[in-house]
Amino acid sequence: MTGRRTAQVLLALGGMFAWAVQFALIYGATSTLCGRGWADATLLAIGVVPFAILSTTLVTLVAAAILLIVSFREERRWRDQPSSTADAFLSQTGVLINGLSLIAILWNGVPAFILPACA
Amino acid sequence: MDFETTLTRLRGRIDPVLRCGGGLLWAFPLAGCSGVQSALDPAGGDAWDLYWLTIVMTVGATLIFVFVTALLLYAVFAPPERRAWLGTRRTIVYGGLAFPIVTLSLLLPYGLIVMRDVDAPQPGALQIEVIGEQYWWRVRYPAEGEQAEFSTANELVIPIGRPITVSVTAADVIHSFWIPNFGGKIDMIPGRINRFNFTAERPGIYRGICAEFCGAQHARMAFDVMALEPAEFDAWRRTQAQPAPEPAIPFLARGRDLFRSGGCGSCHVVRGTEANGQLGPDLTHVGSRRTIGAGQFPNNVGTLAGWIANVQQIKPGAKMPSYGSLTGEDLRAIAGYLESLK
Ligand SMILES: [Cu+2]
Protein backbone atom coordinates (compact mmCIF):
# COMPACT_ATOMS: atom_id res chain seq x y z
CA MET A 1 0.00 0.00 0.00
CA THR A 2 2.70 2.52 1.02
CA GLY A 3 4.71 1.69 -2.06
CA ARG A 4 1.78 2.52 -4.29
CA ARG A 5 1.13 5.85 -2.55
CA THR A 6 4.80 6.82 -2.95
CA ALA A 7 4.63 6.05 -6.63
CA GLN A 8 1.42 8.06 -6.99
CA VAL A 9 2.92 11.10 -5.24
CA LEU A 10 6.10 10.86 -7.29
CA LEU A 11 4.04 10.68 -10.46
CA ALA A 12 1.98 13.68 -9.41
CA LEU A 13 5.10 15.74 -8.70
CA GLY A 14 7.21 14.37 -11.54
CA GLY A 15 6.58 17.27 -13.89
CA MET A 16 7.84 19.69 -11.27
CA PHE A 17 11.08 17.74 -10.98
CA ALA A 18 11.52 17.86 -14.73
CA TRP A 19 10.89 21.62 -14.66
CA ALA A 20 13.34 22.12 -11.78
CA VAL A 21 16.01 20.14 -13.59
CA GLN A 22 15.50 22.16 -16.75
CA PHE A 23 15.61 25.42 -14.80
CA ALA A 24 18.82 24.54 -12.98
CA LEU A 25 20.51 23.24 -16.12
CA ILE A 26 19.67 26.09 -18.47
CA TYR A 27 20.59 28.78 -15.95
CA GLY A 28 23.74 26.92 -14.94
CA ALA A 29 24.79 26.20 -18.52
CA THR A 30 24.08 29.73 -19.72
CA SER A 31 26.05 31.45 -16.98
CA THR A 32 28.92 28.97 -17.12
CA LEU A 33 29.23 29.08 -20.92
CA CYS A 34 28.86 32.87 -21.08
CA GLY A 35 31.24 33.35 -18.15
CA ARG A 36 33.89 31.25 -19.93
CA GLY A 37 33.57 33.34 -23.07
CA TRP A 38 31.85 30.72 -25.19
CA ALA A 39 29.17 33.08 -26.41
CA ASP A 40 30.12 32.60 -30.07
CA ALA A 41 31.12 28.92 -30.01
CA THR A 42 28.87 26.65 -32.06
CA LEU A 43 27.83 23.00 -31.92
CA LEU A 44 26.02 21.29 -34.82
CA ALA A 45 25.69 24.66 -36.56
CA ILE A 46 23.95 26.43 -33.69
CA GLY A 47 25.49 28.34 -30.79
CA VAL A 48 26.48 26.25 -27.78
CA VAL A 49 24.28 28.31 -25.49
CA PRO A 50 21.06 27.86 -27.50
CA PHE A 51 22.12 24.25 -28.06
CA ALA A 52 22.39 23.64 -24.33
CA ILE A 53 19.05 25.32 -23.69
CA LEU A 54 17.22 23.56 -26.50
CA SER A 55 18.58 20.06 -25.76
CA THR A 56 17.80 20.43 -22.04
CA THR A 57 14.35 21.73 -22.88
CA LEU A 58 13.67 18.89 -25.30
CA VAL A 59 14.71 16.15 -22.88
CA THR A 60 12.74 17.57 -19.96
CA LEU A 61 9.79 18.25 -22.24
CA VAL A 62 9.68 14.60 -23.31
CA ALA A 63 9.90 13.55 -19.65
CA ALA A 64 7.02 15.84 -18.71
CA ALA A 65 4.96 14.62 -21.68
CA ILE A 66 5.41 10.96 -20.70
CA LEU A 67 4.46 11.80 -17.11
CA LEU A 68 1.38 13.62 -18.38
CA ILE A 69 0.29 10.67 -20.49
CA VAL A 70 0.73 8.28 -17.57
CA SER A 71 -1.21 10.68 -15.30
CA PHE A 72 -4.07 10.79 -17.82
CA ARG A 73 -4.22 6.97 -17.79
CA GLU A 74 -4.25 6.91 -14.01
CA GLU A 75 -6.92 9.56 -13.88
CA ARG A 76 -9.17 7.62 -16.24
CA ARG A 77 -8.61 4.43 -14.28
CA TRP A 78 -9.69 5.98 -10.98
CA ARG A 79 -12.56 7.89 -12.53
CA ASP A 80 -14.19 4.56 -13.50
CA GLN A 81 -14.04 3.17 -9.97
CA PRO A 82 -14.93 5.93 -7.53
CA SER A 83 -14.00 3.92 -4.45
CA SER A 84 -11.06 5.94 -3.15
CA THR A 85 -11.10 9.74 -2.94
CA ALA A 86 -7.34 9.83 -2.24
CA ASP A 87 -6.59 7.95 -5.45
CA ALA A 88 -8.91 10.18 -7.46
CA PHE A 89 -7.40 13.31 -5.94
CA LEU A 90 -3.81 12.25 -6.53
CA SER A 91 -4.48 11.29 -10.12
CA GLN A 92 -6.26 14.58 -10.90
CA THR A 93 -3.47 16.55 -9.25
CA GLY A 94 -1.00 14.63 -11.37
CA VAL A 95 -2.73 15.68 -14.60
CA LEU A 96 -2.79 19.33 -13.55
CA ILE A 97 0.76 19.53 -12.26
CA ASN A 98 2.31 17.61 -15.12
CA GLY A 99 0.32 19.61 -17.65
CA LEU A 100 1.34 22.95 -16.15
CA SER A 101 4.96 21.80 -15.83
CA LEU A 102 4.94 20.95 -19.52
CA ILE A 103 3.84 24.50 -20.35
CA ALA A 104 6.34 26.02 -17.92
CA ILE A 105 9.15 24.06 -19.56
CA LEU A 106 8.04 25.30 -22.97
CA TRP A 107 7.97 28.91 -21.73
CA ASN A 108 11.44 28.52 -20.23
CA GLY A 109 12.80 27.51 -23.62
CA VAL A 110 11.26 30.42 -25.58
CA PRO A 111 13.97 33.04 -24.84
CA ALA A 112 16.55 30.85 -26.64
CA PHE A 113 14.71 31.60 -29.90
CA ILE A 114 14.42 35.33 -29.33
CA LEU A 115 17.21 36.76 -27.19
CA PRO A 116 20.86 36.75 -28.24
CA ALA A 117 22.99 34.47 -26.05
CA CYS A 118 25.05 36.20 -23.34
CA ALA A 119 23.77 39.70 -24.17
CA MET B 1 -0.68 79.22 2.17
CA ASP B 2 -4.40 79.05 2.87
CA PHE B 3 -6.73 76.17 2.24
CA GLU B 4 -8.08 77.54 -1.06
CA THR B 5 -4.66 77.79 -2.71
CA THR B 6 -3.72 74.35 -1.46
CA LEU B 7 -6.84 72.98 -3.08
CA THR B 8 -6.21 74.79 -6.35
CA ARG B 9 -2.66 73.53 -6.41
CA LEU B 10 -3.74 70.00 -5.69
CA ARG B 11 -6.28 70.19 -8.50
CA GLY B 12 -3.56 71.53 -10.79
CA ARG B 13 -1.51 68.46 -10.05
CA ILE B 14 -4.29 65.94 -10.32
CA ASP B 15 -5.88 67.25 -13.53
CA PRO B 16 -3.03 66.33 -15.90
CA VAL B 17 -2.72 62.95 -14.23
CA LEU B 18 -6.41 62.29 -14.80
CA ARG B 19 -6.13 63.40 -18.39
CA CYS B 20 -3.11 61.12 -18.91
CA GLY B 21 -4.87 58.27 -17.16
CA GLY B 22 -7.93 58.73 -19.35
CA GLY B 23 -5.77 58.84 -22.42
CA LEU B 24 -3.96 55.70 -21.36
CA LEU B 25 -7.17 53.87 -20.71
CA TRP B 26 -8.68 54.67 -24.09
CA ALA B 27 -5.37 54.87 -25.94
CA PHE B 28 -6.34 58.34 -27.16
CA PRO B 29 -3.64 60.69 -28.40
CA LEU B 30 -2.04 61.75 -25.16
CA ALA B 31 -2.20 65.51 -25.51
CA GLY B 32 -2.16 65.98 -21.73
CA CYS B 33 0.96 63.86 -21.28
CA SER B 34 3.31 65.51 -23.73
CA GLY B 35 6.35 66.95 -22.11
CA VAL B 36 10.09 67.26 -21.90
CA GLN B 37 10.24 64.50 -19.31
CA SER B 38 7.52 62.00 -20.09
CA ALA B 39 7.64 58.33 -20.94
CA LEU B 40 4.16 58.86 -22.42
CA ASP B 41 5.57 61.17 -25.09
CA PRO B 42 8.09 58.96 -26.90
CA ALA B 43 10.66 60.68 -29.13
CA GLY B 44 12.57 57.61 -30.34
CA GLY B 45 11.84 54.12 -31.66
CA ASP B 46 12.79 52.30 -28.47
CA ALA B 47 10.65 54.62 -26.40
CA TRP B 48 7.72 53.86 -28.73
CA ASP B 49 8.21 50.10 -28.21
CA LEU B 50 8.16 50.59 -24.45
CA TYR B 51 5.17 52.89 -24.74
CA TRP B 52 3.12 50.32 -26.64
CA LEU B 53 4.14 47.58 -24.23
CA THR B 54 2.82 49.79 -21.44
CA ILE B 55 -0.43 50.49 -23.28
CA VAL B 56 -1.02 46.82 -24.14
CA MET B 57 -0.32 45.70 -20.58
CA THR B 58 -2.38 48.45 -18.96
CA VAL B 59 -5.40 48.17 -21.23
CA GLY B 60 -5.30 44.36 -21.21
CA ALA B 61 -4.94 44.15 -17.44
CA THR B 62 -7.76 46.66 -16.96
CA LEU B 63 -10.15 44.76 -19.22
CA ILE B 64 -9.38 41.45 -17.55
CA PHE B 65 -9.72 43.01 -14.11
CA VAL B 66 -13.12 44.52 -14.92
CA PHE B 67 -14.33 41.28 -16.50
CA VAL B 68 -13.22 39.12 -13.56
CA THR B 69 -14.72 41.57 -11.08
CA ALA B 70 -18.02 41.46 -12.97
CA LEU B 71 -17.96 37.66 -12.87
CA LEU B 72 -17.22 37.77 -9.16
CA LEU B 73 -20.20 40.04 -8.50
CA TYR B 74 -22.33 37.80 -10.69
CA ALA B 75 -21.23 34.76 -8.70
CA VAL B 76 -22.18 36.49 -5.47
CA PHE B 77 -25.47 38.15 -6.44
CA ALA B 78 -27.02 36.19 -9.29
CA PRO B 79 -29.68 33.59 -8.43
CA PRO B 80 -28.16 30.13 -7.92
CA GLU B 81 -29.66 28.51 -10.99
CA ARG B 82 -28.30 31.23 -13.29
CA ARG B 83 -24.80 31.32 -11.87
CA ALA B 84 -24.34 27.54 -11.77
CA TRP B 85 -22.38 27.46 -15.05
CA LEU B 86 -19.58 29.40 -13.33
CA GLY B 87 -18.70 26.35 -11.27
CA THR B 88 -18.63 23.80 -14.06
CA ARG B 89 -15.48 21.98 -15.08
CA ARG B 90 -15.72 23.52 -18.52
CA THR B 91 -15.69 27.10 -17.26
CA ILE B 92 -12.70 26.35 -15.09
CA VAL B 93 -10.74 24.63 -17.85
CA TYR B 94 -11.40 27.34 -20.46
CA GLY B 95 -11.49 30.43 -18.23
CA GLY B 96 -9.02 29.41 -15.57
CA LEU B 97 -6.49 27.40 -17.57
CA ALA B 98 -6.76 27.86 -21.31
CA PHE B 99 -7.26 31.64 -21.24
CA PRO B 100 -4.31 32.54 -18.99
CA ILE B 101 -2.05 30.05 -20.79
CA VAL B 102 -2.87 31.50 -24.20
CA THR B 103 -2.58 35.10 -22.96
CA LEU B 104 0.77 34.51 -21.26
CA SER B 105 2.06 32.51 -24.23
CA LEU B 106 1.43 35.58 -26.42
CA LEU B 107 2.76 38.12 -23.93
CA LEU B 108 5.99 36.21 -23.26
CA PRO B 109 7.41 36.39 -26.82
CA TYR B 110 6.05 39.94 -27.20
CA GLY B 111 7.91 41.07 -24.06
CA LEU B 112 11.07 39.23 -25.10
CA ILE B 113 11.00 40.78 -28.57
CA VAL B 114 10.66 44.26 -27.08
CA MET B 115 13.52 43.42 -24.72
CA ARG B 116 15.69 42.31 -27.65
CA ASP B 117 14.93 45.27 -29.92
CA VAL B 118 15.08 48.02 -27.32
CA ASP B 119 18.57 49.19 -26.44
CA ALA B 120 20.26 47.12 -29.16
CA PRO B 121 23.72 48.45 -30.11
CA GLN B 122 23.90 49.89 -33.66
CA PRO B 123 26.99 50.09 -35.88
CA GLY B 124 28.31 53.59 -36.50
CA ALA B 125 26.72 54.97 -33.37
CA LEU B 126 27.83 58.29 -31.95
CA GLN B 127 29.74 57.56 -28.74
CA ILE B 128 29.14 59.69 -25.65
CA GLU B 129 30.40 59.05 -22.12
CA VAL B 130 28.51 60.21 -19.07
CA ILE B 131 29.78 59.93 -15.51
CA GLY B 132 27.39 60.45 -12.63
CA GLU B 133 28.81 62.43 -9.70
CA GLN B 134 27.16 63.81 -6.58
CA TYR B 135 25.15 65.78 -7.88
CA TRP B 136 25.91 66.47 -11.52
CA TRP B 137 26.82 64.82 -14.82
CA ARG B 138 30.24 64.83 -16.44
CA VAL B 139 29.77 64.43 -20.18
CA ARG B 140 32.57 63.54 -22.60
CA TYR B 141 32.49 63.41 -26.38
CA PRO B 142 35.45 61.26 -27.54
CA ALA B 143 37.39 62.27 -30.66
CA GLU B 144 35.78 61.14 -33.92
CA GLY B 145 37.54 61.59 -37.29
CA GLU B 146 38.56 65.23 -37.60
CA GLN B 147 36.58 66.14 -34.54
CA ALA B 148 38.65 66.59 -31.37
CA GLU B 149 37.42 65.30 -28.02
CA PHE B 150 35.96 67.63 -25.41
CA SER B 151 34.02 67.62 -22.16
CA THR B 152 30.94 69.42 -21.02
CA ALA B 153 28.47 68.90 -18.18
CA ASN B 154 24.80 68.56 -17.35
CA GLU B 155 23.68 68.47 -20.96
CA LEU B 156 23.49 65.86 -23.67
CA VAL B 157 23.43 67.29 -27.17
CA ILE B 158 22.62 64.76 -29.87
CA PRO B 159 21.88 64.68 -33.58
CA ILE B 160 18.52 63.26 -34.65
CA GLY B 161 18.41 60.21 -36.91
CA ARG B 162 21.78 58.85 -35.88
CA PRO B 163 22.12 55.98 -33.38
CA ILE B 164 23.66 57.07 -30.09
CA THR B 165 25.54 54.93 -27.58
CA VAL B 166 25.90 56.46 -24.15
CA SER B 167 28.46 54.66 -21.96
CA VAL B 168 27.73 55.41 -18.35
CA THR B 169 29.54 54.93 -15.06
CA ALA B 170 29.75 56.73 -11.71
CA ALA B 171 32.51 58.42 -9.77
CA ASP B 172 31.22 58.01 -6.23
CA VAL B 173 27.93 56.21 -5.54
CA ILE B 174 25.39 54.48 -7.77
CA HIS B 175 23.34 56.84 -9.94
CA SER B 176 20.91 56.04 -12.70
CA PHE B 177 20.65 57.66 -16.09
CA TRP B 178 17.13 58.15 -17.40
CA ILE B 179 15.68 60.16 -20.29
CA PRO B 180 12.02 59.09 -20.20
CA ASN B 181 11.30 60.28 -23.75
CA PHE B 182 14.03 58.02 -25.14
CA GLY B 183 13.76 54.77 -23.22
CA GLY B 184 14.49 52.92 -20.02
CA LYS B 185 16.77 53.65 -17.11
CA ILE B 186 20.36 52.50 -16.96
CA ASP B 187 22.33 52.19 -13.73
CA MET B 188 25.59 54.09 -13.34
CA ILE B 189 27.81 51.92 -11.17
CA PRO B 190 31.30 52.88 -9.96
CA GLY B 191 33.92 50.68 -11.65
CA ARG B 192 31.54 49.34 -14.27
CA ILE B 193 30.51 50.64 -17.68
CA ASN B 194 26.93 50.19 -18.83
CA ARG B 195 25.70 51.15 -22.25
CA PHE B 196 22.47 52.74 -23.35
CA ASN B 197 21.55 52.80 -27.04
CA PHE B 198 18.88 54.88 -28.68
CA THR B 199 18.06 57.05 -31.67
CA ALA B 200 16.26 60.38 -31.39
CA GLU B 201 13.58 60.82 -34.01
CA ARG B 202 12.41 64.37 -33.56
CA PRO B 203 14.31 67.50 -32.63
CA GLY B 204 13.48 69.14 -29.36
CA ILE B 205 14.48 69.75 -25.78
CA TYR B 206 14.06 66.89 -23.36
CA ARG B 207 15.04 66.32 -19.76
CA GLY B 208 16.95 63.50 -18.14
CA ILE B 209 17.15 62.76 -14.44
CA CYS B 210 18.99 60.68 -11.90
CA ALA B 211 16.72 57.75 -11.14
CA GLU B 212 18.60 56.16 -8.23
CA PHE B 213 18.76 57.85 -4.85
CA CYS B 214 22.34 59.05 -4.57
CA GLY B 215 22.36 61.43 -1.63
CA ALA B 216 20.68 64.51 -0.21
CA GLN B 217 20.59 66.43 -3.52
CA HIS B 218 19.50 63.50 -5.65
CA ALA B 219 16.29 65.30 -6.60
CA ARG B 220 18.33 68.23 -7.95
CA MET B 221 20.32 66.11 -10.35
CA ALA B 222 18.86 66.52 -13.81
CA PHE B 223 20.17 67.41 -17.25
CA ASP B 224 19.01 68.84 -20.54
CA VAL B 225 18.86 66.78 -23.69
CA MET B 226 19.00 68.76 -26.90
CA ALA B 227 18.14 66.80 -30.03
CA LEU B 228 19.35 68.84 -33.01
CA GLU B 229 19.37 68.55 -36.79
CA PRO B 230 22.68 66.90 -37.80
CA ALA B 231 24.14 70.12 -39.25
CA GLU B 232 23.31 72.07 -36.10
CA PHE B 233 24.85 69.30 -34.04
CA ASP B 234 28.09 69.40 -36.02
CA ALA B 235 28.28 73.16 -35.55
CA TRP B 236 27.68 72.78 -31.81
CA ARG B 237 30.36 70.11 -31.58
CA ARG B 238 32.92 72.22 -33.43
CA THR B 239 32.30 75.17 -31.11
CA GLN B 240 32.51 73.04 -27.99
CA ALA B 241 35.92 71.67 -28.98
CA GLN B 242 37.31 75.23 -29.18
CA PRO B 243 39.06 76.80 -26.18
CA ALA B 244 37.23 79.53 -24.30
CA PRO B 245 37.10 82.92 -26.03
CA GLU B 246 39.19 85.81 -24.66
CA PRO B 247 37.15 88.31 -22.62
CA ALA B 248 35.91 91.01 -25.00
CA ILE B 249 35.77 93.93 -22.54
CA PRO B 250 37.70 94.89 -19.39
CA PHE B 251 34.75 94.08 -17.11
CA LEU B 252 34.77 90.46 -18.33
CA ALA B 253 38.58 90.35 -18.06
CA ARG B 254 38.11 91.35 -14.43
CA GLY B 255 35.70 88.42 -14.09
CA ARG B 256 38.32 86.08 -15.51
CA ASP B 257 40.95 87.41 -13.07
CA LEU B 258 38.59 86.93 -10.14
CA PHE B 259 37.85 83.41 -11.37
CA ARG B 260 41.60 82.77 -11.25
CA SER B 261 42.28 84.46 -7.89
CA GLY B 262 39.17 82.94 -6.30
CA GLY B 263 40.53 79.46 -6.85
CA CYS B 264 37.66 78.37 -9.08
CA GLY B 265 40.25 76.84 -11.40
CA SER B 266 41.25 74.28 -8.80
CA CYS B 267 37.94 72.53 -9.42
CA HIS B 268 36.85 73.74 -12.85
CA VAL B 269 38.41 73.50 -16.31
CA VAL B 270 38.26 76.48 -18.64
CA ARG B 271 40.21 75.32 -21.68
CA GLY B 272 42.50 78.04 -22.99
CA THR B 273 43.21 79.36 -19.47
CA GLU B 274 45.23 77.84 -16.68
CA ALA B 275 42.04 76.68 -14.91
CA ASN B 276 42.33 72.89 -15.04
CA GLY B 277 40.65 71.49 -11.91
CA GLN B 278 38.87 68.17 -12.38
CA LEU B 279 36.53 68.12 -9.38
CA GLY B 280 33.64 70.08 -10.90
CA PRO B 281 31.98 70.61 -14.27
CA ASP B 282 33.96 71.81 -17.30
CA LEU B 283 33.08 75.50 -17.67
CA THR B 284 34.79 76.19 -21.02
CA HIS B 285 31.43 76.85 -22.70
CA VAL B 286 29.18 77.12 -19.68
CA GLY B 287 27.51 80.18 -21.23
CA SER B 288 26.13 78.05 -24.05
CA ARG B 289 24.21 75.73 -21.72
CA ARG B 290 20.49 76.06 -21.31
CA THR B 291 20.51 75.54 -17.56
CA ILE B 292 22.99 75.50 -14.69
CA GLY B 293 23.34 73.50 -11.50
CA ALA B 294 22.34 70.18 -13.14
CA GLY B 295 19.06 71.43 -14.57
CA GLN B 296 18.13 73.71 -11.66
CA PHE B 297 17.98 77.21 -13.17
CA PRO B 298 17.79 78.85 -16.55
CA ASN B 299 21.25 80.05 -17.46
CA ASN B 300 21.79 83.81 -17.20
CA VAL B 301 23.96 86.32 -15.34
CA GLY B 302 21.52 86.52 -12.45
CA THR B 303 21.24 82.79 -11.79
CA LEU B 304 25.00 82.33 -12.29
CA ALA B 305 25.71 85.01 -9.69
CA GLY B 306 23.12 83.53 -7.34
CA TRP B 307 24.68 80.11 -7.77
CA ILE B 308 28.22 81.27 -7.06
CA ALA B 309 27.23 83.25 -3.96
CA ASN B 310 24.77 80.69 -2.63
CA VAL B 311 25.44 77.12 -3.78
CA GLN B 312 25.15 75.74 -0.28
CA GLN B 313 21.67 77.22 0.17
CA ILE B 314 20.55 76.05 -3.24
CA LYS B 315 22.07 72.58 -3.12
CA PRO B 316 23.24 71.91 0.45
CA GLY B 317 26.01 69.33 0.38
CA ALA B 318 27.07 69.95 -3.22
CA LYS B 319 30.84 69.80 -3.54
CA MET B 320 31.30 73.51 -4.24
CA PRO B 321 31.61 76.16 -1.52
CA SER B 322 29.38 79.28 -1.50
CA TYR B 323 31.28 82.47 -2.35
CA GLY B 324 29.09 84.70 -0.22
CA SER B 325 31.77 87.27 0.57
CA LEU B 326 32.29 88.52 -2.98
CA THR B 327 31.16 92.11 -3.51
CA GLY B 328 28.20 92.66 -5.81
CA GLU B 329 30.46 94.15 -8.45
CA ASP B 330 32.90 91.21 -8.34
CA LEU B 331 30.06 88.71 -8.43
CA ARG B 332 28.59 90.37 -11.50
CA ALA B 333 32.01 90.34 -13.16
CA ILE B 334 32.53 86.60 -12.58
CA ALA B 335 28.98 85.78 -13.60
CA GLY B 336 29.32 87.99 -16.68
CA TYR B 337 32.57 86.28 -17.60
CA LEU B 338 31.02 82.81 -17.30
CA GLU B 339 27.97 83.89 -19.26
CA SER B 340 30.26 85.13 -22.06
CA LEU B 341 31.80 81.64 -22.42
CA LYS B 342 29.49 80.61 -25.25
CU1 LIG C 1 22.42 60.82 -8.80
Side-chain angles (χ1 to χ4, degrees):
Chain A
M1 204 60 190
T2 348
R4 202 188 81 218
R5 277 276 180 271
T6 311
Q8 280 177 321
V9 170
L10 282 180
L11 173 64
L13 295 181
M16 293 243 184
F17 287 123
W19 179 17
V21 166
Q22 183 219 21
F23 212 91
L25 284 182
I26 63 180
Y27 272 70
T30 305
S31 18
T32 310
L33 293 172
C34 292
R36 300 204 167 239
W38 288 21
D40 297 322
T42 56
L43 194 65
L44 303 179
I46 56 171
V48 277
V49 178
F51 184 85
I53 297 176
L54 293 180
S55 49
T56 312
T57 303
L58 217 62
V59 171
T60 45
L61 203 62
V62 169
I66 292 173
L67 288 165
L68 183 61
I69 293 170
V70 177
S71 317
F72 263 126
R73 290 231 176 99
E74 279 289 290
E75 199 265 340
R76 200 164 321 121
R77 182 149 76 91
W78 293 111
R79 202 193 305 163
D80 295 342
Q81 31 181 290
S83 48
S84 155
T85 38
D87 289 324
F89 172 76
L90 276 174
S91 61
Q92 283 178 5
T93 310
V95 170
L96 264 180
I97 288 185
N98 289 322
L100 289 176
S101 300
L102 190 88
I103 288 157
I105 290 171
L106 269 177
W107 282 346
N108 261 353
V110 170
F113 291 98
I114 299 178
L115 294 181
C118 311
Chain B
M1 202 189 330
D2 60 39
F3 181 67
E4 264 302 303
T5 42
T6 313
L7 247 180
T8 325
R9 279 199 169 196
L10 199 64
R11 205 167 297 136
R13 296 222 162 164
I14 290 174
D15 263 3
V17 175
L18 283 183
R19 251 182 297 144
C20 290
L24 252 186
L25 198 57
W26 308 114
F28 277 166
L30 300 173
C33 301
S34 62
V36 295
Q37 185 191 317
S38 172
L40 299 176
D41 185 18
D46 290 355
W48 275 111
D49 288 351
L50 293 177
Y51 171 79
W52 280 113
L53 181 69
T54 312
I55 297 281
V56 167
M57 294 296 285
T58 312
V59 173
T62 307
L63 291 178
I64 292 173
F65 176 77
V66 169
F67 181 65
V68 172
T69 309
L71 280 186
L72 188 68
L73 293 175
Y74 187 76
V76 173
F77 294 111
E81 63 283 2
R82 295 188 58 188
R83 69 185 180 202
W85 64 274
L86 272 172
T88 59
R89 195 186 182 102
R90 213 161 127 200
T91 312
I92 290 168
V93 167
Y94 284 111
L97 282 173
F99 177 70
I101 288 172
V102 169
T103 312
L104 293 177
S105 297
L106 292 174
L107 282 179
L108 176 67
Y110 174 41
L112 288 171
I113 287 168
V114 171
M115 193 165 150
R116 179 194 62 193
D117 293 348
V118 162
D119 201 16
Q122 304 285 337
L126 173 71
Q127 304 291 325
I128 306 177
E129 297 163 13
V130 181
I131 302 171
E133 314 211 1
Q134 281 171 324
Y135 302 97
W136 60 284
W137 315 81
R138 191 188 294 274
V139 182
R140 223 175 68 83
Y141 287 72
E144 189 189 31
E146 299 276 280
Q147 173 68 42
E149 68 149 340
F150 63 89
S151 291
T152 174
N154 301 331
E155 67 173 354
L156 199 70
V157 180
I158 51 173
I160 57 165
R162 178 174 172 190
I164 316 270
T165 296
V166 185
S167 305
V168 304
T169 186
D172 34 41
V173 299
I174 298 178
H175 303 266
S176 178
F177 178 94
W178 189 28
I179 315 170
N181 300 68
F182 289 124
K185 302 165 187 168
I186 184 102
D187 273 355
M188 308 174 106
I189 301 169
R192 204 194 135 91
I193 294 173
N194 284 335
R195 296 206 163 72
F196 175 61
N197 306 284
F198 70 103
T199 306
E201 279 170 3
R202 54 187 164 86
I205 297 171
Y206 307 95
R207 192 164 182 270
I209 47 164
C210 180
E212 176 80 40
F213 181 74
C214 59
Q217 298 305 320
H218 162 67
R220 296 201 180 91
M221 183 169 168
F223 60 100
D224 288 308
V225 183
M226 247 75 75
L228 305 178
E229 298 290 346
E232 281 178 73
F233 171 76
D234 288 338
W236 174 85
R237 196 155 62 148
R238 272 195 302 279
T239 320
Q240 292 288 315
Q242 304 292 319
E246 275 297 304
I249 53 169
F251 185 64
L252 300 183
R254 176 170 161 198
R256 181 197 54 195
D257 297 342
L258 284 163
F259 189 87
R260 185 185 302 149
S261 58
C264 314
S266 59
C267 291
H268 292 289
V269 176
V270 178
R271 279 172 275 134
T273 75
E274 66 272 39
N276 62 356
Q278 290 298 327
L279 227 88
D282 187 311
L283 298 181
T284 311
H285 295 285
V286 62
S288 71
R289 287 177 208 153
R290 212 175 80 87
T291 61
I292 59 160
Q296 296 318 298
F297 300 107
N299 187 2
N300 56 52
V301 185
T303 51
L304 279 166
W307 173 269
I308 297 164
N310 254 325
V311 192
Q312 289 305 320
Q313 272 69 48
I314 295 167
K315 247 179 149 169
K319 298 200 169 58
M320 166 166 164
S322 292
Y323 287 81
S325 55
L326 288 168
T327 65
E329 190 73 2
D330 287 350
L331 199 54
R332 276 196 293 281
I334 300 192
Y337 169 61
L338 291 181
E339 203 244 20
S340 75
L341 300 178
K342 298 285 188 197

